[in-house]
Amino acid sequence: QVQLVESGGGLVQAGDSLRLSCAASGRIFSVYNMGWFRQAPGKEREFVARITWSSGSTYYTDSVKERFTISRDNAKNTVYLLMNSLKPEDTAVYYCAAAPYLATSGNGYQYWGQGTQVTVSS
């Protein structure tokens, strides 16, 4: 299995930047994609970004495409989400997730972290 631990959340002002980290352990060689999701108050969980572990290929949802950057450090088994130009609507609990090559879950993301709170004030 894969264990994920997020860190880096906090309370910031609109326009500020924040970098989230997701440290992975366990069967990391089985991971195909690493993704970031978020859940805002009163809303459903939303996909934010993903990175393919081997190739580094990235994909973003439109609302963050020109503001957020997902990256990985292979040596540290860590995925990052750099969030620039933060807006109040970015306020949410941010979750790191891993999709293995042989996933058993419906959407491929089988392993999840505990989440880290990001609050953006206006």
Side-chain angles (χ1 to χ4, degrees), residues 17-66:
S17 298
L18 202 62
R19 190 178 77 162
L20 306 182
S21 299
C22 175
S25 61
R27 299 181 66 252
I28 57 176
F29 293 111
S30 70
V31 174
Y32 179 56
N33 284 335
M34 294 287 292
W36 285 98
F37 294 76
R38 66 187 181 186
Q39 187 167 18
K43 298 184 67 176
E44 297 295 320
R45 185 185 64 191
E46 176 190 23
F47 168 80
V48 177
R50 69 99 173 119
I51 185 167
T52 301
W53 189 260
S54 295
S55 69
S57 177
T58 60
Y59 184 80
Y60 304 87
T61 191
D62 286 344
S63 63
V64 309
K65 189 173 183 178
E66 296 183 359

Side-chain angles (χ1 to χ4, degrees), residues 86-98:
L86 282 164
K87 305 174 181 179
E89 50 263 45
D90 295 318
T91 295
V93 177
Y94 283 71
Y95 297 92
C96 180

